[in-house]
Amino acid sequence: MIKQTSKDLDNTYLITFIVPTFNVQSKIEDNIASISEFMIGLEDKTELIIVDDGSTDDTVPVAKKALKHSGLACQLITCQHAGVSHARNVGLEKAQGSYVMFVDSDDTILSLNRNEILKLLDDRVDIVMCDVIGKEAVNLTLTDQHRVELYETLVHMTTDWIDTGIHSKFYRRELLAAQAITFDVKLRMGEDLLFNFKAIQKASSITFSSLNIYKLCDSSSMFRFDKSNLDNELHFNHELCNVLEKYHDISKSRDVKNKLTITGALFLLDRYFSPEIAEKKISFNNASHDFKKILVINQYLPTLKLNKYDAYLSRRERLMRQLLGRQKITMALALSIIIDRIKRVKR
């Protein structure tokens, strides 16, 4: 592990920006420049930690050069390839800022509302969420009812909107450290949402703001097949249930769980079993048998029979939910493959 330090890191900073990188040589310079611009004039209050996840291109030398000109206290840490969650956790271990903000390496920070956003950190609130639509509150003391309602918003079940991921959010570092809140390295999808659920569960206060701070790079990776998608979904579902169990007396928590159970089953349909069939790695009969067994053992089927959550699903998702709920597994698999071919979607 290589570390590059441009300032004395015994200081305490207002914000630590943690940026995991992997083969982003063409984008990391803009990323670092946007963070530098956001904190211009406040360099002594800023820490930037780049954690490279085993890049095979010129990401590291490009990042080194950009960091030298950033004017920020910085660390560049290189690791063997172990995934974005591991890289973020490494950054968390090294962070010394009062607040931590995670920035993906192909995204940028917007400076237009810098001063107003930094004022939101004055109250020592546990979590500050920006780019919020609808909700507005400063230093709100969280109750369990608030937490469940926030979970609803994060999974897009309300008219308010908050990014599901960790983007646009500041987390008080002492909260994360005291509660041992880290990213689940067993997940390659859903890790951001689970991190948010756990942070909200342990947080005492929160601020919501409509101020814009984050420019997200479009990504199609969520549509792709990966052999780990099955284990990912089952593990995510298990961890999600553990978090929501605390709120079992609040009916909306069951709605959140049921909605994510349905979308989890649809995820397995479209991003695991259907691609396996399309690539001729498994037969229709075997896929149907295995998929049904998973839906039964992991108790997806009772929820898939409910039409209560169709309002949160697309037309395609509603149709697939109905077929799976009726245990027409083979038909759902075949239809998923046909629709993907018609729309030329590559998994």
Side-chain angles (χ1 to χ4, degrees):
M1 183 170 69
I2 302 171
K3 179 170 74 174
Q4 171 185 308
T5 305
S6 64
K7 288 189 179 182
D8 180 2
L9 293 181
D10 290 332
N11 296 330
T12 298
Y13 304 96
L14 174 62
I15 304 172
T16 297
F17 294 92
I18 297 175
V19 182
T21 61
F22 180 71
N23 289 350
V24 286
Q25 61 181 22
S26 64
K27 297 180 179 180
I28 187 59
E29 189 172 4
D30 288 342
N31 174 281
I32 294 172
S34 73
I35 295 172
S36 299
E37 183 179 352
F38 184 81
M39 297 302 290
I40 193 167
L42 297 170
E43 289 84 359
D44 61 333
K45 296 184 179 182
T46 311
E47 180 182 37
L48 173 57
I49 300 178
I50 306 288
V51 184
D52 187 75
D53 186 35
S55 290
T56 56
D57 64 358
D58 288 332
T59 295
V60 171
V62 171
K64 281 184 178 179
K65 184 177 179 180
L67 289 174
K68 287 181 180 179
H69 296 93
S70 69
L72 305 176
C74 57
Q75 295 186 64
L76 175 57
I77 302 168
T78 59
C79 306
Q80 292 185 342
H81 185 57
V84 67
S85 291
H86 173 264
R88 288 171 178 161
N89 289 341
V90 169
L92 267 179
E93 289 178 4
K94 301 295 182 181
Q96 297 189 42
S98 296
Y99 284 91
V100 172
M101 184 179 190
F102 301 96
V103 186
D104 285 348
S105 54
D106 51 355
D107 299 336
T108 53
I109 298 298
L110 306 175
S111 298
L112 181 64
N113 301 306
R114 193 277 296 267
N115 292 338
E116 293 90 340
I117 289 171
L118 293 183
K119 287 179 182 177
L120 298 176
L121 307 183
D122 290 344
D123 294 325
R124 301 289 294 165
V125 65
D126 283 337
I127 304 174
V128 174
M129 296 186 173
C130 299
D131 290 309
V132 174
I133 298 175
K135 288 183 180 294
E136 285 284 349
V138 176
N139 204 356
L140 173 69
T141 299
L142 286 171
T143 65
D144 283 349
Q145 186 68 37
H146 287 137
R147 293 183 177 92
V148 172
E149 290 174 356
L150 184 50
Y151 292 158
E152 275 193 302
T153 301
L154 280 170
V155 300
H156 305 153
M157 296 180 71
T158 69
T159 55
D160 298 330
W161 187 89
I162 299 174
D163 191 299
T164 298
I166 53 174
H167 316 109
S168 310
K169 300 172 181 68
F170 297 89
Y171 305 89
R172 193 165 64 86
R173 184 176 60 84
E174 289 181 359
L175 168 72
L176 302 181
Q179 301 295 335
I181 300 169
T182 59
F183 292 90
D184 193 326
V185 296
K186 293 182 180 180
L187 296 176
R188 62 175 295 276
M189 295 188 69
E191 72 279 4
D192 287 14
L193 181 61
L194 186 60
F195 181 91
N196 280 328
F197 270 40
K198 290 181 177 180
I200 291 165
Q201 183 180 56
K202 300 300 183 180
S204 299
S205 57
I206 195 165
T207 288
F208 303 109
S209 174
S210 61
L211 293 170
N212 299 125
I213 188 175
Y214 203 93
K215 184 177 180 181
L216 187 66
C217 175
D218 291 333
S219 174
S220 60
S221 61
M222 63 180 295
F223 297 109
R224 297 173 187 163
F225 164 82
D226 188 277
K227 62 182 181 181
S228 68
N229 282 355
L230 174 58
D231 290 338
N232 189 105
E233 163 55 24
L234 297 180
H235 181 68
F236 173 78
N237 185 271
H238 177 265
E239 293 299 309
L240 177 76
C241 290
N242 287 341
V243 174
L244 293 176
E245 176 59 28
K246 179 181 178 181
Y247 314 105
H248 67 275
D249 290 334
I250 302 175
S251 61
K252 288 183 178 180
S253 72
R254 293 191 290 276
D255 290 334
V256 172
K257 178 182 179 297
N258 288 341
K259 196 257 187 175
L260 290 176
T261 296
I262 291 171
T263 55
L266 297 176
F267 172 81
L268 291 179
L269 171 70
D270 290 332
R271 298 179 182 98
Y272 186 77
F273 285 105
S274 292
E276 286 273 79
I277 296 171
E279 294 297 320
K280 298 183 179 179
K281 295 179 180 179
I282 191 172
S283 69
F284 264 107
N285 286 340
N286 287 340
S288 181
H289 174 270
D290 292 348
F291 193 13
K292 182 177 180 179
K293 184 178 180 180
I294 288 168
L295 295 179
V296 171
I297 292 175
N298 295 280
Q299 299 182 338
Y300 284 85
L301 277 179
T303 307
L304 284 166
K305 295 177 181 179
L306 304 175
N307 61 12
K308 178 180 179 180
Y309 307 99
D310 283 357
Y312 309 116
L313 305 177
S314 68
R315 185 166 61 178
R316 169 180 174 154
E317 289 171 335
R318 289 195 296 271
L319 175 58
M320 297 303 177
R321 195 274 308 160
Q322 292 171 4
L323 290 174
L324 293 179
R326 296 169 184 169
Q327 300 189 44
K328 297 183 180 297
I329 312 297
T330 303
M331 185 179 296
L333 289 166
L335 194 55
S336 174
I337 294 170
I338 291 170
I339 293 174
D340 278 353
R341 285 176 179 171
I342 292 174
K343 294 189 174 183
R344 298 181 179 180
V345 175
K346 293 183 179 181
R347 301 292 184 183

